[in-house]
Amino acid sequence: MLVLYTLVYATVNTAFGQSDLDQLLQIAQENSPSIAEKQALAEASKEEISLEKKTLLPSVDIGYDANFATYNNITGMNYPGNNVPISGPPSDDNYGGTVGSGVSMMVKWSPITFGERKNAIAHNQSIYEKQLASVSNEVLRIQFQVAFYYLEIASTKELITTYEKNIERNDFNLTRITKLVESGIRPSVDSLKVNAELSKSKSQLYQLKNLLVSQEEQLKEYLSSDGVKEITTSTFFFNHLPSAIKTYTDTATFVHPTLTIVTKELEANEARLTEIKRAWTPKLEFWGTTYARGSGVAYDGTVNHADGWGMQRYNYGVGLQLVFPIMDLASQKTKNIQQKAVVRASQENIRKVENNLKKQEVTARTGLNTALAIAKEVPVEYEASQGAYLSMQTRYEQGLVNYTELIEAQYNLLDAEAKLKNAYASAWKSLLQLAVVKGDIQLFLNQIKN
C-alpha cells in the first residue's frame, strides 16, 4: 500500500510550484511599501555622499545691496555679510542721507581638510551601504512571509481535500449502516452516531475553508497588489521532500543582511571616530572677493543722489586663512571618548548578531532534520491506518465490532492523512526557515526546481 500510495500521489500532479511562487515573490518585491520605503532611505543616504564630495568645490556668493543712509562716515551701511561704502572722506555730523549701492562676489575654497572630508565621505558611504543591507533584509523578510503563507495555503488546501474525502467516507458509511439498521443487523443508534460524525466533519471542513480565506488575505497583504485575485498552489510540496543541508559551510560566502547592517554600522562609527579626531586640525581656506560700489556723495562732500545707483569704485582681493581651534581640545577629547564607546557598542552588537544567527541556524537545521525524519515515518502510519480502517469496515458489517471501533479506525485514518500532509509541509517550512537564517532564499527555491 505504501508503494502504491507513493506512485499514485506522484503521478496525480507533478507540476512544480516554482513558477507560481516565483511570480508571487516578484509581485511582492515590486509592490511592497516597506521595501519601497527602505529603498527611498537608501537613495537619500547615497545623496549624502554626493553632498560631502561637493564640499571640495569652492563656494561663490554674489550679492547686491541698495540703501538710503546717512553719510557722516567712511564705511556706510553694514549689511550681514556685506559692507557697502557710501561716502568718501569724513564729513560733518549730520543726519542727511543719500543713496548708496554695491555689488560683490565672494569665493571661498577649502581643498585641504587634513582627512576630515575623506572620513566624512567614508562615514556616509558606510551609512549608504547599511541602508542597502536594510533593503536586502526587508526583501528577505517579505520573501519569507510570502513563501510561508504560500505553503500554509497549499497545506490548508490539502487538508480540505483530506476532510472532503472523510465526508465521503461518512456518506458511504451512512448509506451502508442505514441498510444494516433497516435489516435489523445493527442497532438504530449507529445511524444516529454516523449522522453526528458527518455533521462534525462538515463543521471541521467549514473551519478549514475559513482558515484558507484568512491565509489568502494575509498573503495578499504582503503582495500589496489588487491584481492577484486567486492564489493557485501546487501539490509538488506534498509528493516531494526537500534535502537536508549537510554542513555549516554550504553558504559560507553569503552574508546575512542583518550581519551586514551591523557591520556597516560599525564601519560608519569608526569613520565617524576618525572624523572627530581630524576635526582638531588647522582649517585652511582660500578666499577671493571682488566688489563695486556706488555712492550719492562725492569725495568733496557734494551730494548727488542719482550717482548712488551707478558703480563708481571697483576693488578685488585674494588671500588665505589658517585657523587652528586651540581651545576645542577639551571638547574634542570628550567627543573622542564618547565615539570610542559607540564603536565598542557596535563591536559587541556584531558579536550578539553572530551568536544569534548561529543559534537560529542550529535550531533551523535541527528542525529540518526532525521534520524530514517524521515525514519519512508518517507514511507507515498512514498505510497501517488505511489497512485497519478497511478491515474494520468488513468486521463491522459482519457484526464482529461495534460502531465505536469503526469510527475510531476512521478517525485514525483521517488523523494519519492529515499528519502526512502536515509532515511534508513542515519539512518545506523548516527548509524555508533555514534558508532565511542563512540569508539566502535561493536555498529554498533551488530545491523546488530540482
Side-chain angles (χ1 to χ4, degrees):
M1 288 296 296
L2 177 59
V3 175
L4 178 61
Y5 167 80
T6 303
L7 290 176
V8 170
Y9 204 92
T11 56
V12 169
N13 190 336
T14 57
F16 291 84
Q18 177 71 33
S19 59
D20 292 336
L21 184 54
D22 267 345
Q23 291 176 5
L24 294 177
L25 291 172
Q26 183 177 357
I27 291 172
Q29 188 168 345
E30 291 175 352
N31 294 280
S32 172
S34 59
I35 293 177
E37 176 193 6
K38 300 291 184 182
Q39 289 173 335
L41 291 174
E43 291 175 7
S45 296
K46 185 177 181 180
E47 293 305 315
E48 286 292 332
I49 301 173
S50 298
L51 285 174
E52 194 62 44
K53 289 180 178 179
K54 289 176 181 178
T55 60
L56 180 60
L57 300 175
S59 63
V60 180
D61 298 319
I62 298 177
Y64 174 79
D65 298 289
N67 56 71
F68 183 88
T70 57
Y71 56 92
N72 58 4
N73 58 72
I74 61 171
T75 58
M77 280 289 289
N78 284 306
Y79 283 169
N82 293 285
N83 180 32
V84 183
I86 265 191
S87 58
S91 60
D92 295 334
D93 288 344
N94 64 75
Y95 290 98
T98 187
V99 174
S101 63
V103 61
S104 65
M105 180 175 69
M106 179 72 72
V107 179
K108 177 186 175 183
W109 186 34
S110 303
I112 302 174
T113 61
F114 301 96
E116 188 176 359
R117 179 184 294 109
K118 176 183 176 182
N119 287 283
I121 291 173
H123 171 77
N124 288 318
Q125 180 67 36
S126 296
I127 293 294
Y128 171 57
E129 292 173 358
K130 176 186 174 182
Q131 292 292 350
L132 289 180
S134 296
V135 174
S136 298
N137 194 52
E138 187 63 18
V139 169
L140 184 63
R141 187 185 74 85
I142 294 297
Q143 286 177 330
F144 169 74
Q145 295 293 346
V146 170
F148 177 81
Y149 278 103
Y150 179 87
L151 291 175
E152 287 278 272
I153 291 169
S155 178
T156 301
K157 286 183 177 181
E158 289 293 314
L159 289 177
I160 287 175
T161 301
T162 297
Y163 275 80
E164 287 174 342
K165 286 170 61 179
N166 189 58
I167 290 175
E168 291 176 1
R169 293 191 196 103
N170 281 323
D171 282 332
F172 176 78
N173 287 336
L174 179 60
T175 302
R176 297 289 296 275
I177 291 173
T178 300
K179 291 181 180 179
L180 293 174
V181 169
E182 291 174 351
S183 302
I185 299 176
R186 305 302 305 186
S188 59
V189 69
D190 285 2
S191 179
L192 297 175
K193 288 181 177 179
V194 75
N195 266 309
E197 287 299 325
L198 179 58
S199 177
K200 179 181 177 181
S201 296
K202 289 180 178 179
S203 296
Q204 291 171 333
L205 180 61
Y206 297 148
Q207 290 175 350
L208 283 173
K209 289 183 176 181
N210 181 67
L211 175 62
L212 177 62
V213 172
S214 176
Q215 290 169 342
E216 287 178 337
E217 290 304 312
Q218 186 66 57
L219 177 56
K220 289 177 181 179
E221 180 180 340
Y222 285 107
L223 295 177
S224 302
S225 173
D226 296 330
V228 181
K229 302 301 181 182
E230 183 179 358
I231 307 297
T232 59
T233 57
S234 169
T235 58
F236 169 83
F237 301 98
F238 302 94
N239 51 49
H240 294 80
L241 283 174
S243 301
I245 301 176
K246 297 179 181 179
T247 66
Y248 289 88
T249 57
D250 289 339
T251 55
T253 57
F254 198 93
V255 180
H256 196 283
T258 302
L259 186 58
T260 302
I261 290 173
V262 294
T263 300
K264 293 303 177 181
E265 182 178 4
L266 172 61
E267 292 178 3
N269 288 330
E270 288 176 334
R272 176 60 180 158
L273 176 60
T274 307
E275 185 181 357
I276 290 174
K277 291 178 179 179
R278 296 291 185 182
W280 198 66
T281 53
K283 302 296 186 292
L284 181 61
E285 299 173 343
F286 295 90
W287 293 81
T289 182
T290 179
Y291 63 92
R293 71 173 180 86
S295 177
V297 58
Y299 69 92
D300 58 1
T302 304
V303 177
N304 185 359
H305 297 308
D307 290 342
W309 300 111
M311 301 298 107
Q312 301 164 347
R313 296 290 185 268
Y314 302 89
N315 295 278
Y316 69 88
V318 295
L320 60 83
Q321 179 175 282
L322 184 65
V323 179
F324 191 82
I326 298 176
M327 300 305 295
D328 285 351
L329 179 59
S331 63
Q332 289 298 321
K333 285 184 176 180
T334 302
K335 291 178 182 179
N336 190 41
I337 294 172
Q338 182 186 44
Q339 191 60 26
K340 283 182 178 179
V342 173
V343 169
R344 289 197 305 272
S346 296
Q347 292 170 338
E348 294 303 318
N349 194 28
I350 288 178
R351 288 181 55 198
K352 182 180 72 173
V353 170
E354 287 176 338
N355 291 336
N356 188 35
L357 288 175
K358 288 178 181 178
K359 179 182 177 181
Q360 289 184 40
E361 182 176 350
V362 171
T363 303
R365 286 181 182 277
T366 303
L368 175 58
N369 292 333
T370 301
L372 289 173
I374 293 174
K376 292 174 182 177
E377 291 296 332
V378 172
V380 178
E381 180 182 351
Y382 171 76
E383 178 185 358
S385 298
Q386 189 177 47
Y389 174 68
L390 294 175
S391 175
M392 199 62 67
Q393 273 188 319
T394 303
R395 290 170 63 82
Y396 176 80
E397 291 174 1
Q398 294 173 347
L400 301 177
V401 296
N402 57 33
Y403 178 76
T404 301
E405 292 174 294
L406 174 63
I407 199 61
E408 182 180 355
Q410 183 179 338
Y411 173 78
N412 290 336
L413 176 58
L414 173 64
D415 184 57
E417 285 180 311
K419 280 184 179 179
L420 185 60
K421 308 293 186 182
N422 288 329
Y424 271 66
S426 179
W428 283 104
K429 290 175 187 176
S430 297
L431 175 63
L432 174 63
Q433 182 66 43
L434 179 57
V436 171
V437 170
K438 295 297 291 182
D440 186 6
I441 194 90
Q442 288 301 323
L443 286 173
F444 172 76
L445 296 178
N446 289 342
Q447 292 215 32
I448 303 176
K449 295 176 181 178
N450 297 327

